[in-house]
Amino acid sequence: MSKPSKTKRSDSESIKQDPKKSKNDVSSLAAASKVKEFCKNFMDIEDKEVESRTGESDLKIFKETCCELKRLMTDILLLKTSGKTDEETSKKIIEKRIEASLLFVTLKKLNRIDKLRLKKARDTTHDAKQRVDTFHLQLENLLYEVFHLKKEVDKCLEFKSKDEDIELVPVEEFYQEAPSSISKMELTKSNQHKLTLARLEWEFEQRKRLSEQCRSLEQNREKASSEISQKQKQLESLLPRLTSILESTRPLQEELNLPVERIKFQKELAVLLPDPLYILYSQIKAFIEACDPSLQISIEGGMEDAINFGSKNKTGLDEILEDVDSAESDMETEYETNKRAATSNKMKTDWQLTRHPLRIQLKIERVVLNFTYLTTLNIVTVDCKPVQQDDGVNQICMIDNLLSGLFPNDHGDESPSWVNCFQARSMINGKITEQGKPYLWAQRLAGLDFNGIVKSTPQSFINTEFVETVILALKSRITYRFQFVKVLHLLEKGELDLNQDSNATFPPTIYSRLVSWTSSTYEECLVTSKNLERLLNFLEVNPKSLSFYKATLERESAKLLAMFMVPVDYPNSTPICSLELNWNGKHNRENSEIIRRIEAEVNVPSTELPPQHKVDLLTVQLKKLSLHLDLITEIDGQLMKKGGGSWQSQSKPEFAAEKMIPQLIKGHDRAYPTKYDTGSGFFLHH
């Protein structure tokens, strides 16, 4: 605000100093004001012309002016090109130039008018556009208000009250149970809103009543809980007293052989058993108490080891492998690397074969079965040991393959779970048998079905009385095995003793004798007999379910070699023998029809033995072989006298005819008699 005052002051001072200059400035300001007023008047005139004339009339004037300007230019050109230089021609040219210049003024005026008209049109358009935008904005505001109102209406319509979440009693039940002061049937029957309010009021009354009942029951529960806790304290105080009493009576228990302390200890161990062993233990124990008290079952193992087992193995395989890897240096040789891998694999396998420190021991007659649980593989293994008794029984033969094939296709050679096939299968399956064998029946007893996925499920496993089935099968197998071991003991001495009824089916004198009886293996028998594998395939017998033995029977120079394959469930299944006769050459089932006949007759199950002497089946087979050796040698000697012998090379028979044989051979296949008639003592054909 101070600067303009200074300017005015300086102007007045300059005027006072230079009066001539001030007069000129005043005149110039007056002229400028006149020019400004003239321009304003002129613009007002042009605005009036814009409003009075249209664009089409200005276009017409523009065209006429252009034509006139063109004509004047043409005249000027003609005058200049005519060659006349007189004063009149020059005067005409000047006049026409003036006229043309005036026409340019007209064109400029038309241009200004056009610009004014364009500006006025734009202003008009802009004003109209602003009005349209204003109307459009007002419309959008109105639409938004309509949308908001609709949304609020919908929200009101969709509103859910809390009473809708309450499950009210049905209307009929409400009218029956609610008092008339609440139901008000004459009002609520026709008014749905009042009906809902009445039902809510009745619900509230019911909930208040139930709340009172709940409060009273809660008080009763607290009272009962306090009584229980008081009695619990009393029981806990009794425990030390009972313990001291048991400790004081321990010498008396030992003197009277009372199992009180042992039963208590067994119950404490049972709590620490893993689930599979606990299920197995409880099932067998229940069967023993209900059906067969002669069996004995117990839990073996240390209590402290069982308690600490979980903490020792919680880190698992990862910790073992980390310990192995951390003990190695970065710069190790190829030999050391291979050694590390072997050590890691060994430790991994040992971890996978980790077993629980507790095991179940079941004593059945002369055998003790130990059930062990492999925690990582989640399977139960079984091994058996004989009860040490000095009765001359071969303990190894007693337990060899004792449990194999107890049920069909259950030999326990590999883990029954498919999951374990991916856990170092090549190492594990070979070492599982060191811990015992994982038989399928043991998994069933332990409640392990692997979510229904097992490699094979025998049909007998579907039986609901499975525990009884297993126990009876075990007792039968152990009983027959003990009798079979006694038979083997006699055979090793070369004795073929039978009971009186069985001996009656043989002649009183048999000259062939059993000179050796030895156990063998499947591999050794394959080397001895090339036809053994073909025979087993033909009979569809698994070598895992067989025990192999070699027997030698002699009659002077005639020697009969027999390979016996005794099933593990003997005598329920008949032993199979493969024969080879060494007498003036080697004769077997490949080159001799007689050997094939002997094998066919001996390998047929015998129906002559009574059940109590069923175990003598192997002895009967050997005695039949010795009888057949006598018949072969004697019949061939008699045929030689008649000119029909085939096996003897001497000029006279080697063996005398000791047996009464009316007809030596019969039929086109030259079969000799094998049926012994006990009444007449003759050997007859079948």
Side-chain angles (χ1 to χ4, degrees):
M1 297 297 291
S2 60
K3 287 182 180 181
S5 61
K6 290 181 180 179
T7 306
K8 291 180 180 179
R9 194 181 301 117
S10 60
D11 291 340
S12 61
E13 289 177 356
S14 60
I15 293 171
K16 290 179 181 179
Q17 291 175 359
D18 193 359
K20 291 182 179 180
K21 188 176 181 180
S22 61
K23 291 180 179 180
N24 294 330
D25 291 337
V26 172
S27 61
S28 62
L29 290 173
S33 61
K34 289 181 180 181
V35 172
K36 187 174 182 181
E37 185 178 358
F38 175 76
C39 290
K40 184 178 180 181
N41 295 332
F42 183 75
M43 290 178 66
D44 292 338
I45 294 171
E46 287 185 348
D47 288 337
K48 292 179 180 180
E49 290 184 1
V50 169
E51 294 177 0
S52 61
R53 291 205 307 264
T54 61
E56 287 79 5
S57 60
D58 286 346
L59 179 61
K60 185 177 180 182
I61 295 171
F62 174 74
K63 289 181 180 180
E64 292 176 355
T65 304
C66 288
C67 291
E68 185 65 24
L69 184 61
K70 182 179 179 182
R71 183 184 62 77
L72 291 174
M73 292 297 180
T74 303
D75 293 342
I76 293 171
L77 180 61
L78 291 176
L79 291 173
K80 285 185 177 182
T81 56
S82 64
K84 295 179 180 181
T85 58
D86 54 350
E87 187 176 348
E88 185 179 358
T89 302
S90 300
K91 187 177 180 180
K92 288 182 180 181
I93 291 173
I94 291 171
E95 291 177 357
K96 290 188 180 292
R97 282 181 180 175
I98 293 171
E99 292 180 6
S101 298
L102 293 174
L103 292 176
F104 275 109
V105 174
T106 304
L107 290 176
K108 287 184 178 182
K109 181 180 179 181
L110 291 173
N111 184 38
R112 284 195 308 273
I113 292 173
D114 183 60
K115 297 297 182 183
L116 290 173
R117 184 181 287 111
L118 178 61
K119 181 178 180 301
K120 189 175 182 180
R122 285 180 176 175
D123 293 341
T124 305
T125 303
H126 180 68
D127 294 339
K129 189 175 181 181
Q130 280 189 339
R131 288 196 302 274
V132 171
D133 290 341
T134 304
F135 294 150
H136 183 69
L137 182 60
Q138 293 177 356
L139 178 61
E140 286 185 348
N141 292 335
L142 292 175
L143 291 176
Y144 178 76
E145 290 182 5
V146 170
F147 175 74
H148 178 70
L149 293 175
K150 285 184 177 180
K151 189 174 181 181
E152 291 297 324
V153 171
D154 294 338
K155 187 183 295 185
C156 293
L157 293 176
E158 294 175 359
F159 174 75
K160 289 186 178 180
S161 178
K162 290 290 185 180
D163 65 285
E164 295 182 7
D165 299 332
I166 300 175
E167 186 176 353
L168 300 176
V169 297
V171 178
E172 295 79 6
E173 185 178 349
F174 166 71
Y175 282 124
Q176 290 177 2
E177 297 180 357
S180 58
S181 60
I182 295 177
S183 61
K184 299 177 182 178
M185 186 180 297
E186 64 279 359
L187 296 177
T188 56
K189 274 287 186 180
S190 58
N191 193 325
Q192 186 66 29
H193 178 65
K194 291 184 178 181
L195 175 61
T196 304
L197 292 177
R199 292 172 68 189
L200 288 172
E201 185 179 357
W202 173 241
E203 183 71 19
F204 179 66
E205 293 294 332
Q206 284 185 317
R207 293 196 179 192
K208 285 197 299 184
R209 178 171 50 82
L210 292 175
S211 178
E212 290 295 331
Q213 292 180 1
C214 179
R215 191 177 298 108
S216 62
L217 292 175
E218 186 71 21
Q219 293 175 355
N220 295 335
R221 187 187 68 81
E222 292 178 356
K223 183 178 179 181
S225 178
S226 62
E227 293 177 356
I228 290 172
S229 61
Q230 185 177 359
K231 292 181 180 179
Q232 184 70 26
K233 291 179 181 179
Q234 293 177 357
L235 291 175
E236 290 176 356
S237 64
L238 287 175
L239 181 60
R241 300 177 187 176
L242 293 175
T243 304
S244 61
I245 293 173
L246 287 175
E247 288 291 335
S248 61
T249 58
R250 182 171 293 176
L252 180 62
Q253 294 179 30
E254 294 177 355
E255 186 68 24
L256 299 178
N257 195 19
L258 296 175
V260 178
E261 193 70 21
R262 178 171 177 79
I263 292 174
K264 176 187 174 184
F265 183 69
Q266 288 286 304
K267 290 181 178 179
E268 293 175 353
L269 287 179
V271 177
L272 302 175
L273 284 173
D275 291 343
L277 291 185
Y278 183 80
I279 294 172
L280 185 144
Y281 174 75
S282 59
Q283 289 196 85
I284 297 179
K285 186 173 179 62
F287 173 79
I288 292 174
E289 293 174 354
C291 302
D292 195 348
S294 63
L295 304 180
Q296 298 179 13
I297 187 170
S298 61
I299 305 173
E300 303 296 328
M303 181 178 291
E304 293 183 1
D305 295 338
I307 294 173
N308 300 328
F309 177 73
S311 60
K312 288 181 180 179
N313 294 275
K314 65 182 179 180
T315 53
L317 178 61
D318 294 335
E319 184 179 280
I320 294 174
L321 294 180
E322 287 176 3
D323 293 340
V324 174
D325 294 337
S326 62
E328 301 164 351
S329 62
D330 295 334
M331 302 295 293
E332 44 183 15
T333 61
E334 183 178 358
Y335 171 76
E336 291 172 343
T337 303
N338 294 335
K339 185 177 180 180
R340 178 183 66 85
T343 304
S344 178
N345 289 335
K346 182 178 182 303
M347 296 186 73
K348 180 180 178 181
T349 304
D350 293 341
W351 173 77
Q352 289 173 330
L353 296 177
T354 302
R355 60 181 180 180
H356 198 274
L358 298 181
R359 66 182 185 276
I360 305 299
Q361 191 175 89
L362 177 64
K363 183 178 178 182
I364 303 178
E365 297 182 357
R366 297 171 177 267
V367 176
V368 174
L369 304 181
N370 291 314
F371 296 87
T372 307
Y373 177 58
L374 302 184
T375 56
T376 305
L377 300 181
N378 190 30
I379 56 176
V380 173
T381 60
V382 188
D383 66 333
C384 55
K385 295 180 181 179
V387 178
Q388 296 296 333
Q389 291 186 2
D390 191 13
D391 52 4
V393 176
N394 190 336
Q395 305 293 345
I396 297 177
C397 294
M398 183 67 189
I399 63 172
D400 184 33
N401 287 337
L402 177 63
L403 305 178
S404 179
L406 192 65
F407 292 95
N409 300 322
D410 190 6
H411 303 288
D413 293 329
E414 59 182 10
S415 174
S417 174
W418 285 111
V419 177
N420 297 338
C421 293
F422 303 98
Q423 297 175 323
R425 172 177 163 178
S426 58
M427 295 183 291
I428 290 177
N429 285 337
K431 292 190 176 183
I432 284 180
T433 53
E434 297 177 4
Q435 312 280 0
K437 292 189 175 183
Y439 298 103
L440 292 176
W441 56 267
Q443 317 308 314
R444 173 71 185 277
L445 285 178
L448 296 173
D449 62 352
F450 309 106
N451 294 326
I453 305 173
V454 290
K455 293 185 177 180
S456 61
T457 304
Q459 191 68 24
S460 58
F461 283 17
I462 303 174
N463 188 1
T464 55
E465 301 175 351
F466 183 68
V467 178
E468 181 179 3
T469 303
V470 172
I471 297 299
L472 294 178
L474 287 172
K475 291 182 68 174
S476 176
R477 176 68 63 85
I478 292 171
T479 301
Y480 280 129
R481 179 59 64 89
F482 178 70
Q483 297 174 358
F484 175 61
V485 170
K486 286 186 174 180
V487 171
L488 292 179
H489 183 65
L490 295 175
L491 293 180
E492 289 174 356
K493 296 180 180 180
E495 300 177 5
L496 298 177
D497 295 336
L498 293 173
N499 59 81
Q500 185 176 0
D501 296 334
S502 299
N503 268 327
T505 60
F506 293 95
T509 304
I510 298 178
Y511 297 97
S512 299
R513 59 190 180 88
L514 177 65
V515 295
S516 69
W517 175 270
T518 58
S519 62
S520 182
T521 61
Y522 177 62
E523 291 74 16
E524 293 177 357
C525 292
L526 283 179
V527 175
T528 305
S529 176
K530 298 179 181 179
N531 302 317
L532 178 61
E533 186 174 4
R534 189 186 307 170
L535 176 62
L536 293 179
N537 291 334
F538 175 74
L539 296 175
E540 297 181 354
V541 178
N542 189 347
K544 297 178 182 178
S545 61
L546 298 174
S547 298
F548 296 88
Y549 299 92
K550 289 183 180 180
T552 304
L553 294 92
E554 289 185 355
R555 185 181 183 185
E556 298 182 10
S557 63
K559 183 183 293 186
L560 182 62
L561 301 177
M563 284 184 297
F564 275 89
M565 292 153 280
V566 182
V568 292
D569 60 341
Y570 175 85
N572 293 325
S573 298
T574 305
I576 304 169
C577 66
S578 177
L579 305 176
E580 181 178 288
L581 177 63
N582 292 330
W583 184 44
N584 297 322
K586 291 186 177 182
H587 311 278
N588 52 41
R589 70 188 323 273
E590 296 295 326
N591 55 21
S592 173
E593 178 65 27
I594 295 177
I595 297 298
R596 287 195 291 271
R597 284 182 176 275
I598 296 175
E599 289 181 356
E601 184 174 348
V602 173
N603 291 334
V604 172
S606 177
T607 57
E608 302 172 357
L609 291 174
Q612 63 271 21
H613 299 298
K614 195 176 181 180
V615 75
D616 294 332
L617 177 59
L618 183 60
T619 307
V620 171
Q621 288 180 315
L622 287 168
K623 200 155 188 175
K624 282 184 179 181
L625 289 179
S626 60
L627 177 60
H628 281 291
L629 184 57
D630 281 5
L631 292 174
I632 289 173
T633 54
E634 293 183 17
I635 290 175
D636 193 73
Q638 295 184 39
L639 290 175
M640 184 179 178
K641 290 180 181 180
K642 298 180 180 181
S646 58
W647 284 358
Q648 302 187 55
S649 59
Q650 293 86 351
S651 58
K652 61 179 182 178
E654 181 180 353
F655 302 101
E658 301 289 343
K659 297 176 176 58
M660 293 180 291
I661 305 174
Q663 185 178 0
L664 298 178
I665 57 177
K666 181 180 179 181
H668 65 280
D669 54 354
R670 300 174 62 84
Y672 61 88
T674 57
K675 181 180 180 182
Y676 177 68
D677 186 8
T678 56
S680 62
F682 290 164
F683 283 86
L684 307 174
H685 292 273
H686 285 284

